[in-house]
Amino acid sequence: MSWQSYVDDHLMCDVEGNHLTAAAILGQDGSVWAQSADFPQVSLSSLIIGLKPEEIKGITTDFEEPGFLAPTGLFLGGAKYMVIQGEPGAVIRGKKGPGGVTIKKTTQALVIGIYEEPMTGGQCNLVVERLGDYLIESDL
C-alpha cells in the first residue's frame, strides 16, 4: 500500500458522515510522505509551504519535551492552535475555533489530521491515532 493510500483511505475516511479537512503523513524531519489535496503543498525544500522549519522544530521538540508548545501554542502554516490535553511524547492536540488538529508520532513519522465542525475532536483523534498505532505496530 502506498503512503498516499494511507492518507486517502484511512485518514480522509468517512466517520459518521464527517471527514477531516486535511491530512498528511510526514517524516519526522518534515519531509512529506503523502498528503490530502487540501493540505498545504510541498516546497522545493521538502518542507510544507506554510509550515515553517521552526513550526516543524516546535512539534518535534514538544514530543521530546512535553509541554514545550503550551506557552506559545502550536503553529501550522501560520495558524495558531491552543495546545490541549494530549499524550506526552506520543500525541499533540490543538484547538482553534470550531476545529483543531491531532498529531500522532510514530517510530518514523508524524500523522497529522486537521478538522473543522461538524467533525469533533474525538473523531479526529480516533482516525489519526488509530492509523498512528497501526504504523507503530508495523515499526514505521
Side-chain angles (χ1 to χ4, degrees):
M1 182 180 285
S2 74
W3 289 113
Q4 192 61 50
S5 295
Y6 283 108
V7 170
D8 296 341
D9 300 337
H10 298 284
L11 292 176
M12 299 303 291
C13 64
D14 182 280
V15 180
E16 299 175 13
N18 299 315
H19 297 86
L20 292 173
T21 305
I25 301 172
L26 309 180
Q28 290 185 15
D29 62 356
S31 61
V32 178
W33 293 5
Q35 62 189 5
S36 66
D38 291 334
F39 204 82
Q41 298 301 302
V42 181
S43 74
L44 296 176
S45 67
S46 296
L47 292 177
I48 300 170
I49 288 178
L51 275 191
K52 300 175 181 121
E54 59 269 18
E55 293 175 339
I56 294 288
K57 178 76 172 134
I59 291 167
T60 57
T61 300
D62 195 82
F63 281 120
E64 296 165 5
E65 302 171 29
F68 175 79
L69 291 174
T72 60
L74 165 65
F75 286 85
L76 291 174
K80 183 178 180 178
Y81 293 82
M82 177 179 65
V83 177
I84 57 175
Q85 173 263 333
E87 296 173 29
V91 178
I92 299 170
R93 296 185 185 110
K95 183 81 173 128
K96 178 179 176 260
V101 62
T102 302
I103 305 170
K104 172 78 175 183
K105 179 182 176 188
T106 73
T107 309
Q108 301 176 28
L110 301 173
V111 180
I112 303 174
I114 300 170
Y115 71 95
E116 292 290 335
E117 287 183 344
M119 182 170 245
T120 67
Q123 291 171 324
C124 178
N125 296 342
L126 179 71
V127 169
V128 171
E129 293 177 43
R130 183 181 293 162
L131 178 58
D133 289 341
Y134 170 78
L135 295 177
I136 290 168
E137 290 170 12
S138 301
D139 202 29
L140 295 171

Coordinates of all heavy atoms in Angstrom, one line a residue, residues 70-108:
A70 N 3.0 24.5 24.9 CA 1.8 25.0 25.7 C 1.9 26.5 25.9 O 0.9 27.2 25.7 CB 1.7 24.3 27.0
P71 N 3.0 27.1 26.2 CA 3.0 28.6 26.4 C 2.8 29.4 25.2 O 2.2 30.5 25.2 CB 4.4 28.9 27.0 CG 5.0 27.6 27.5 CD 4.3 26.5 26.6
T72 N 3.3 28.9 24.0 CA 3.2 29.7 22.8 C 2.1 29.3 21.8 O 1.7 30.0 21.0 CB 4.5 29.7 22.1 OG1 4.8 28.3 21.7 CG2 5.7 30.3 22.9
G73 N 1.6 28.1 22.0 CA 0.7 27.5 21.1 C 1.4 26.7 20.0 O 2.6 26.8 19.8
L74 N 0.6 25.9 19.2 CA 1.1 25.1 18.1 C 0.8 25.9 16.8 O -0.4 26.3 16.6 CB 0.3 23.8 18.1 CG 0.4 22.9 16.9 CD1 1.8 22.4 16.7 CD2 -0.5 21.7 17.0
F75 N 1.8 26.1 16.0 CA 1.6 26.8 14.7 C 1.7 25.8 13.6 O 2.6 25.0 13.5 CB 2.6 27.9 14.6 CG 2.3 29.1 15.4 CD1 2.8 29.1 16.7 CD2 1.6 30.1 15.0 CE1 2.5 30.2 17.6 CE2 1.3 31.2 15.8 CZ 1.8 31.3 17.1
L76 N 0.7 25.8 12.7 CA 0.7 25.0 11.5 C 0.4 26.0 10.3 O -0.7 26.5 10.3 CB -0.3 23.9 11.5 CG -0.1 22.8 12.5 CD1 -1.3 21.8 12.5 CD2 1.2 22.0 12.0
G77 N 1.3 26.2 9.4 CA 1.1 27.1 8.3 C 0.7 28.5 8.8 O -0.1 29.2 8.1
G78 N 1.2 28.9 9.9 CA 1.0 30.3 10.4 C -0.3 30.3 11.2 O -0.5 31.3 11.9
A79 N -1.1 29.3 11.2 CA -2.4 29.3 12.0 C -2.0 28.8 13.4 O -1.3 27.8 13.6 CB -3.4 28.4 11.4
K80 N -2.5 29.5 14.4 CA -2.2 29.2 15.8 C -3.3 28.3 16.4 O -4.4 28.7 16.4 CB -2.0 30.5 16.7 CG -1.6 30.2 18.1 CD -1.4 31.5 18.9 CE -1.0 31.2 20.3 NZ -0.7 32.5 21.0
Y81 N -2.9 27.2 17.0 CA -3.7 26.3 17.7 C -3.4 26.3 19.2 O -2.2 26.3 19.6 CB -3.6 24.9 17.2 CG -4.1 24.7 15.8 CD1 -3.3 25.0 14.7 CD2 -5.3 24.2 15.5 CE1 -3.7 24.8 13.4 CE2 -5.8 24.0 14.2 CZ -4.9 24.3 13.2 OH -5.3 24.2 11.9
M82 N -4.4 26.4 20.1 CA -4.2 26.3 21.5 C -3.9 24.8 21.8 O -4.7 23.9 21.4 CB -5.4 26.8 22.3 CG -5.3 26.6 23.8 SD -6.7 27.2 24.7 CE -8.0 26.1 24.1
V83 N -2.8 24.5 22.5 CA -2.4 23.1 22.8 C -3.4 22.7 23.9 O -3.5 23.3 24.9 CB -1.0 23.0 23.2 CG1 -0.6 21.5 23.6 CG2 -0.1 23.4 22.0
I84 N -4.0 21.5 23.7 CA -4.9 20.9 24.7 C -4.4 19.6 25.1 O -3.4 19.1 24.5 CB -6.4 20.9 24.2 CG1 -6.5 20.1 22.9 CG2 -6.9 22.3 24.0 CD1 -7.9 19.8 22.4
Q85 N -5.0 18.9 26.0 CA -4.6 17.6 26.5 C -4.2 16.7 25.4 O -4.9 16.5 24.4 CB -5.7 17.1 27.4 CG -5.5 15.7 27.9 CD -6.2 14.6 27.0 OE1 -7.2 14.9 26.3 NE2 -5.7 13.4 27.0
G86 N -3.0 16.1 25.5 CA -2.6 15.1 24.6 C -1.9 14.0 25.4 O -2.3 13.7 26.5
E87 N -1.0 13.3 24.8 CA -0.3 12.2 25.4 C 1.2 12.5 25.3 O 1.7 12.5 24.2 CB -0.6 10.8 24.8 CG -2.1 10.4 24.9 CD -2.4 9.2 24.1 OE1 -1.5 8.3 23.9 OE2 -3.5 9.1 23.7
P88 N 1.8 12.9 26.4 CA 3.2 13.3 26.4 C 4.1 12.3 25.5 O 4.1 11.1 25.8 CB 3.7 13.3 27.8 CG 2.4 13.6 28.6 CD 1.3 12.8 27.8
G89 N 4.8 12.9 24.6 CA 5.7 12.1 23.8 C 5.1 11.3 22.7 O 5.8 10.7 21.9
A90 N 3.7 11.3 22.6 CA 3.0 10.5 21.6 C 2.0 11.2 20.8 O 1.9 11.0 19.6 CB 2.3 9.3 22.3
V91 N 1.2 12.1 21.4 CA 0.2 12.8 20.7 C 0.1 14.3 21.1 O 0.2 14.6 22.3 CB -1.2 12.2 21.0 CG1 -2.3 13.0 20.3 CG2 -1.3 10.7 20.6
I92 N 0.0 15.2 20.1 CA -0.2 16.6 20.4 C -1.6 16.9 19.8 O -1.9 16.5 18.7 CB 0.9 17.5 19.7 CG1 2.3 17.1 20.2 CG2 0.5 19.0 19.9 CD1 3.4 17.8 19.4
R93 N -2.4 17.6 20.6 CA -3.7 18.0 20.1 C -3.8 19.5 20.3 O -3.3 20.1 21.2 CB -4.8 17.4 21.0 CG -4.8 15.9 20.8 CD -6.0 15.2 21.6 NE -5.9 13.8 21.5 CZ -5.6 13.0 22.6 NH1 -5.4 13.5 23.7 NH2 -5.5 11.7 22.4
G94 N -4.4 20.1 19.2 CA -4.6 21.6 19.3 C -6.0 21.9 18.9 O -6.7 21.2 18.2
K95 N -6.5 23.1 19.4 CA -7.8 23.6 19.1 C -7.8 25.0 18.6 O -7.0 25.8 19.1 CB -8.6 23.6 20.5 CG -10.1 24.0 20.4 CD -10.9 22.8 19.9 CE -12.4 23.2 19.9 NZ -13.1 23.0 18.7
K96 N -8.6 25.3 17.6 CA -8.6 26.6 17.0 C -10.1 26.8 16.6 O -10.5 26.2 15.6 CB -7.7 26.7 15.8 CG -7.7 28.1 15.1 CD -6.7 28.1 14.0 CE -6.8 29.4 13.2 NZ -7.6 29.3 12.0
G97 N -10.8 27.7 17.3 CA -12.2 27.9 17.0 C -13.0 26.6 16.9 O -12.9 25.8 17.8
P98 N -13.8 26.4 15.8 CA -14.6 25.2 15.8 C -13.9 24.0 15.2 O -14.5 23.0 14.8 CB -15.7 25.7 14.8 CG -15.0 26.6 13.9 CD -14.1 27.4 14.7
G99 N -12.6 24.1 15.2 CA -11.8 23.0 14.6 C -10.6 22.7 15.4 O -10.4 23.2 16.6
G100 N -9.7 21.9 14.9 CA -8.4 21.6 15.6 C -7.5 20.7 14.8 O -7.7 20.5 13.6
V101 N -6.5 20.1 15.5 CA -5.6 19.3 14.9 C -5.1 18.2 15.9 O -5.1 18.4 17.1 CB -4.3 20.1 14.4 CG1 -3.6 20.8 15.6 CG2 -3.3 19.3 13.6
T102 N -4.8 17.0 15.3 CA -4.2 15.9 16.1 C -3.0 15.5 15.4 O -3.0 15.3 14.1 CB -5.2 14.7 16.2 OG1 -6.4 15.2 16.9 CG2 -4.6 13.6 17.1
I103 N -1.9 15.4 16.1 CA -0.6 14.9 15.5 C -0.1 13.7 16.4 O 0.1 13.8 17.6 CB 0.5 16.0 15.6 CG1 0.0 17.3 14.9 CG2 1.8 15.5 14.9 CD1 0.9 18.5 15.0
K104 N 0.0 12.6 15.7 CA 0.5 11.3 16.4 C 1.9 11.0 15.9 O 2.2 11.0 14.7 CB -0.5 10.2 16.0 CG 0.0 8.8 16.4 CD -0.2 8.6 17.9 CE 0.1 7.1 18.3 NZ -0.1 6.8 19.6
K105 N 2.8 10.8 16.8 CA 4.2 10.5 16.5 C 4.3 8.9 16.4 O 3.8 8.2 17.3 CB 5.1 11.0 17.5 CG 6.6 10.6 17.3 CD 7.5 11.1 18.4 CE 8.9 10.7 18.1 NZ 9.8 11.0 19.3
T106 N 4.9 8.4 15.3 CA 5.1 7.0 15.2 C 6.6 6.8 15.2 O 7.4 7.7 15.5 CB 4.6 6.4 13.9 OG1 5.4 6.9 12.8 CG2 3.1 6.9 13.7
T107 N 7.1 5.6 15.0 CA 8.5 5.3 15.0 C 9.3 6.2 14.1 O 10.4 6.7 14.4 CB 8.8 3.8 14.7 OG1 7.9 3.0 15.5 CG2 10.2 3.4 14.9
Q108 N 8.7 6.5 12.8 CA 9.5 7.2 11.8 C 8.7 8.4 11.3 O 9.3 9.2 10.6 CB 9.7 6.3 10.6 CG 10.5 5.1 10.9 CD 10.7 4.2 9.7 OE1 10.7 4.6 8.6 NE2 10.9 2.9 9.9

